[in-house]
Amino acid sequence: MKVNLWLALQVVLAAGPLQAAIVTNGGFEAGLGGWRFWTRDANAGTPSLDQKVVHSGRQSARVEHRGENDWSFEPSGRVPAQPGDVFELETWLKLESQGASATLCASTHDAQGKAVEWSYGARSLHDTGDWQRVRTRFVVPPGVAQIQPRLIGHGPLTAWVDDYSGEKKASVSFLHPKDLAPLLTIQNAALAVSLNTTNATLLVLDRRTRQSFEQKPLSEDVVLTGATAGRDQIELSLLHAASGLEMKGIVRLDGELPEFTFELAAQGELPNSLRFPHPFASRAGEYLVVPMNEGISYPVEDKSIEPFSLVAYGGHGICMAFWGATDGQRGHGVIIETPDDAAIRLQRLDGKLAIAPQWDPQRGQFGYARRLRYVFFEQGGHVAIAKRYRAHAQKIGLLKTLADKRRENPNVDLLIGAVNVWCWDRDAVGIVKELQSAGIERILWSNRQPPENLRALNDLGVLASRYDIYQDVMAPTNFPNLRGTHADWVTAAWPDDIIRKAGGDWLRGWGVRGKQGEWYYCGVICDKRAPDYARQRIPAELATSPYRCRFIDTTTAAPWHECYHPNHPMTRTDSREWKMKLLRYVSRDCNLVTGCETGHDASVPFLHYFEGMMSLGPYRVPDSGRDMARIWTNAPERVVKFQLGHEYRLPLWELVYHDCVVAQWYWGDYNNKLPMLWDKRDLFNLLYATPPMFMFNRALWQENKARFVQSYQNTCPHVRTVGYSEMTNHRFLTPDRSVQETAFANGTSITVNFGSSPHRLPDGTVIGPMGYRVK
């Protein structure tokens, strides 16, 4: 007879708390005593008592935050805890904001008091018309000795808080089965995979190298309640203690390959993100392989990297659905085979960085089965990890080459080896003639032009483009309060065709500062509606304006969204499909060379270039999306260290898709943006065989003409040479990574020296500091 373990846990929970309540004065009847308030920005907010807006009793706490950064409101004092303890937090909230939210959670701390995670068990609430209850339950993870209940947020808002409570409810330790063997093992010629039945972790032995890989439990939320092993698979029965969701897991070897899949299935509500299976622990000397935009590596012992998450369903996360860890040769990679509601979490385990998968709810439910593929490598490092993903991309239909796209639209050839120029000068034709006379011959001109200029640019062999967007729409009632309106806002979409969140409120998008300095936020057009607006706009314009290219902003940068509007509901999978329908319409039906912001590989079959793939999102200059034209004379430390850091960057996108889509810098992070780093940025363009981007007015062009020409000549002819070729290899030639080499399928190799000393190659060639060789 099957035992309902969730019912058993509920019985324990219903028996009442195992100790006294862990929060006092949660109704604020005794004032604000025992509570503390913190803001990152100085003097950005205040807590106060409110006797007019209350949920119960005489008064509530009113939190007003005016800053753009984060804040916290929390009871004083931490609560002792042990791994496996179940805690519940609950509060009633009423919010007023323009898109900001408040989050009920706890920070976790080790025995020495050091923070492990700042927002564990997070449950968020956005704008509300009235009081709403927010509740979270979580299981204390390993390595935690204290918790701190919190209410946190980010951005300006007013929040009323009342009836905040917390209790220690139980421990999940009694749910662990006592009659299972400690290890269950399956194996093939390459791998032996074992399940540790005490904590639901995996131990993998690579039988070719004798190297072992061991998972470490990140939390106690998922409890193994049963397991069986067959010839090539292990079946797991699991309980998500925080939600009560009963899950089934299957670990399955893939024939004799050094690979296995992990599939997780359940039916029912999933109120919060689920991180399972557990991450593999890292070793000293390894680095994480993360396809954030173009790609980055994080040495696992690098203390400067704080834990953070990246979604797999948008350009400002991971742009390809995989991650890995390697010592430069051996290692493992993980392919997310179901990425539409997935993310990854960079976390520290025993002081070293590791990556855990994260499954986000599908419209509040667990939804479809989630699946990962683990691949183990005996050599090849990050290149082997990327190439295995390329094979996966080809298998699922994402790999479509630029050569194939050129056969459909010959204008694609104008893109290959062309510099992307953003210039708002009225005399576009005159400037282009100056550029071409100076030696800058192949040009993607990105700013819109009148028809007569377009015809002249076409005659000059320029790929003429314009900006367009099918995401942000401003309420017309706000127009009188703004300094101006965007010509490409689809005003007809307001309010019926914008995204609604689960609570009915509309999703906030791009913010615009009004005449008095206040902020007004756009709504976000539902992706189901976007293609219809493109059909209304683009053909009518092309009838008189002979563009050969179009840049669609935000579509692949913004995440796949859920929509709860009754007339156009969406899952994230629906969102992705409709975004791709929009891009397919622009590129195929309108026969335009098409670019998009930042980039995501779901769009590779439909697009030709990405603005922003080269620019690592978290490491751009501040406000790069608004203050595009500003030239920075001093480079921020994070830009130097990470954005242009040869010790960190990896050409992962090029190793997978160089022959499919052209990668460019972001329009607020272009080659001449930081003159002190211009030379290094050019070297990255050369090494990766990607074109530069310039942003200037006539005065800046005239003042720096020779430097612009140098940037073009050092990069674009070589980009043209390998523009249709797969990048086959990338190597570090020195331990400090200052000398790197890429190789391409047409036989070209490119070596650059980012260092301050000359480097001698095996054939005797000497590459000087900040120099290069193309062979």
Side-chain angles (χ1 to χ4, degrees), residues 312-313 336-342 359-360 362 368 370 560 571-574 576-577 600 602:
Y313 47 85
I336 308 173
E337 294 190 351
T338 53
D340 284 348
D341 298 278
W359 306 115
D360 292 338
Q362 184 189 49
Y368 53 91
R370 315 300 180 98
W560 319 154
T571 63
R572 292 190 186 94
T573 298
D574 296 329
R576 170 180 55 80
E577 291 174 351
H600 189 284

Side-chain angles (χ1 to χ4, degrees), residues 293-334:
N293 307 119
E294 179 65 59
I296 193 166
S297 65
Y298 290 118
V300 299
E301 298 160 287
D302 191 332
K303 302 299 184 184
S304 69
I305 311 300
E306 294 293 332
F308 66 98
S309 297
L310 294 166
V311 299
Y313 47 85
H316 288 297
I318 52 174
C319 299
M320 299 177 284
F322 74 91
W323 78 86
T326 178
D327 60 9
Q329 287 296 325
R330 300 186 296 184
H332 78 281
V334 186

